[in-house]
Amino acid sequence: MVLLVTGGCGFIGSNFIRFHLQSHPEQKIVNLDKLTYAGNPGNLAGLEDHPSYTFVRGDICDRKAVGSVVQDHGIGAIANFAAETHVDRSISGPAVFMETNVGGTNVLLDVAKEHAITRFVQVSTDEVYGSLGPDGKFTEETPLHPNSPYAASKAAGDLLARAYHHTYGLPVMITRCSNNYGPYQFPEKLIPLMIANALGGRKLPVYGDGQNVRDWLHVRDHCHAVDLVLRKGRPGEVYNIGGENEWKNLDLVKLLLSRLNKPESLIEFVRDRPGHDRRYAIDASKIGREMGWKPSVSFEQGLTETVAWYLENEEWRRTIESGEYRDYYRKMYDER
Ligand code: NAD
Ligand code: TYD
């Protein structure tokens, strides 16, 4: 069965494609990505000629384009990673979040229904649940209380996915994961931004008092969980995915600085993010019980690997900082 991965040139989508081609090299994957600022085909460098991999540039909001991809490639399953994902950008410009995360998801669900897709994973986030106090964790039954325009747009996408299962019997599973870290993450998110700034001798902007808590999971563990849900998940179900690994932002930034041998004087407290969620923590016992999933990468190992990756991949960082990564597509595809 051919798998359509949307948003495969982003951070998690590209890690998923690499993971998938390694675990199931025979299964064909089509990657549909619009190549927004966050999409970097260089994240998949080396796979251009892989016999099981095809890249199609396109927008999930474009009904005709999505229909053609599904029809032409005989798509049988969909994993939807494509999204606008940065909370700060959603605060300054929410419209595109509604277009892609709600409208685009709606298009994918419609096309999936028309073409009798047999598996559909909607990749979502713990942010749809809102913010926790000092105790407790999000379970799949926690009511949705999205606080940012990003979280609201993801929650709307989730509700559409749920409704398409309930109304039309579309075999949709929803995954809700905590904060990911690892290679190929765009340096606007906390960990790669702090690494890039520390290496560039720039200040590290910590929002508010730095006491907000996030539950960090290595991207490889997330990819494994999505793959399991794609194969074994029960249609109509939600699966939480998390790292059991809570960190206050300030402590994490200090840890990164110590790994990089840089001084804490680089930390700069800046104005808080409006509506900043205080704490996220995931109860991932359901996917553990049903599919035997649990995180396999310790934070110690994962962070060491990640810091080493950003240090070794200076060229990748440079092309992002200079904007040259946007030319990758032209060089690899248009000029062939
Ligand atoms: P990302 O921002 O790194 O990548 C998003 C990708 O989607 C990019 O390649 C972009 O070009 C593509 N895209 C955006 N709009 C598109 C459109 N209209 N049509 C086609 N492609 C489009 O995001 P990420 O961090 O890899 O997140 C992937 C998914 O995982 C998202 O759905 C996000 O909500 C979810 N998620 C992310 C995290 C995290 O920590 N990063 C945690 C939980 C869930
Ligand atoms: P981020 O990586 O944007 O993920 P999310 O908001 O989706 O959890 O941010 C993680 C945490 O780090 C969040 O509490 C906001 C904080 N943060 C900073 O303090 N400074 C920064 O420059 C960024 C990007 C984030």
Side-chain angles (χ1 to χ4, degrees):
M1 182 196 302
V2 183
L3 172 64
L4 176 65
V5 170
T6 65
C9 295
F11 163 49
I12 305 174
S14 62
N15 276 283
F16 180 80
I17 289 173
R18 288 181 182 281
F19 174 90
H20 202 275
L21 289 173
Q22 260 169 18
S23 329
H24 319 284
E26 301 306 319
Q27 188 178 4
K28 297 214 178 315
I29 292 188
V30 176
N31 170 16
L32 177 70
D33 196 301
K34 182 181 178 181
L35 298 183
T36 67
Y37 79 92
N40 178 0
N43 290 352
L44 292 161
L47 295 179
E48 293 85 1
D49 297 320
H50 192 294
S52 297
Y53 173 70
T54 306
F55 175 64
V56 178
R57 187 176 191 177
D59 187 337
I60 61 164
C61 302
D62 181 342
R63 202 168 279 273
K64 210 164 150 241
V66 175
S68 305
V69 167
V70 169
Q71 175 80 42
D72 297 351
H73 294 271
I75 300 296
I78 298 178
N80 180 26
F81 292 88
E84 289 292 332
T85 61
H86 191 41
V87 173
D88 296 325
R89 286 178 189 258
S90 83
I91 295 168
S92 51
V96 68
F97 285 71
M98 306 308 144
E99 286 160 22
T100 289
N101 302 358
V102 189
T105 300
N106 187 22
V107 167
L108 286 171
L109 290 164
D110 276 341
V111 172
K113 176 164 76 71
E114 282 153 24
H115 291 265
I117 293 296
T118 56
R119 310 289 287 169
F120 188 119
V121 176
Q122 171 67 5
V123 179
S124 189
T125 165
D126 59 358
E127 303 197 25
V128 298
Y129 295 123
S131 187
L132 288 166
D135 307 312
K137 291 186 174 182
F138 299 130
T139 72
E140 289 81 358
E141 273 70 51
T142 302
L144 303 189
H145 273 139
N147 288 321
S148 68
Y150 163 63
S153 67
K154 291 296 292 186
D158 287 14
L159 293 179
L160 277 174
R162 182 187 174 280
Y164 272 62
H165 170 72
H166 187 81
T167 306
Y168 306 114
L170 194 70
V172 182
M173 285 74 63
I174 298 168
T175 59
R176 296 191 179 132
C177 189
S178 62
N179 288 62
N180 283 213
Y181 70 99
Y184 303 106
Q185 188 166 28
F186 196 82
E188 63 181 355
K189 304 281 166 61
L190 183 74
I191 289 182
L193 178 77
M194 296 298 163
I195 295 175
N197 281 10
L199 293 176
R202 295 183 292 272
K203 291 282 189 187
L204 276 57
V206 171
Y207 298 163
D209 62 5
Q211 300 303 301
N212 304 65
V213 174
R214 296 294 183 265
D215 170 8
W216 293 95
L217 179 73
H218 194 277
V219 64
R220 202 158 56 231
D221 279 323
H222 185 191
C223 293
H224 180 215
V226 170
D227 188 36
L228 283 172
V229 171
L230 196 55
R231 277 149 218 285
K232 301 184 180 168
R234 288 182 292 128
E237 294 293 316
V238 175
Y239 295 95
N240 281 356
I241 304 162
E244 294 270 347
N245 177 38
E246 292 182 47
W247 283 82
K248 288 182 179 148
N249 291 341
L250 184 58
D251 294 339
L252 178 51
V253 170
K254 286 182 177 169
L255 177 64
L256 286 168
L257 284 169
S258 77
R259 291 297 177 89
L260 293 162
N261 281 320
K262 298 285 178 183
E264 289 187 6
S265 56
L266 285 177
I267 293 174
E268 181 177 46
F269 289 94
V270 299
R271 193 171 72 92
D272 208 355
R273 171 187 279 172
H276 196 173
D277 284 338
R278 196 64 172 168
R279 174 173 168 259
Y280 302 146
I282 277 278
D283 175 344
S285 52
K286 179 175 171 182
I287 188 171
R289 227 176 17 253
E290 291 193 16
M291 294 171 220
W293 178 89
K294 60 177 179 4
S296 68
V297 184
S298 71
F299 198 49
E300 173 60 32
Q301 177 202 347
L303 204 67
T304 303
E305 260 181 48
T306 302
V307 169
W309 189 89
Y310 284 96
L311 284 169
E312 281 158 22
N313 288 273
E314 200 187 342
E315 180 60 9
W316 182 89
R317 279 193 291 117
R318 195 193 60 73
T319 61
I320 290 199
E321 281 167 19
S322 68
E324 280 169 57
Y325 73 104
R326 293 176 153 272
D327 295 337
Y328 191 95
Y329 175 78
R330 187 174 48 74
K331 290 204 185 91
M332 288 312 295
Y333 296 94
D334 285 354
E335 288 176 7
R336 280 183 162 200

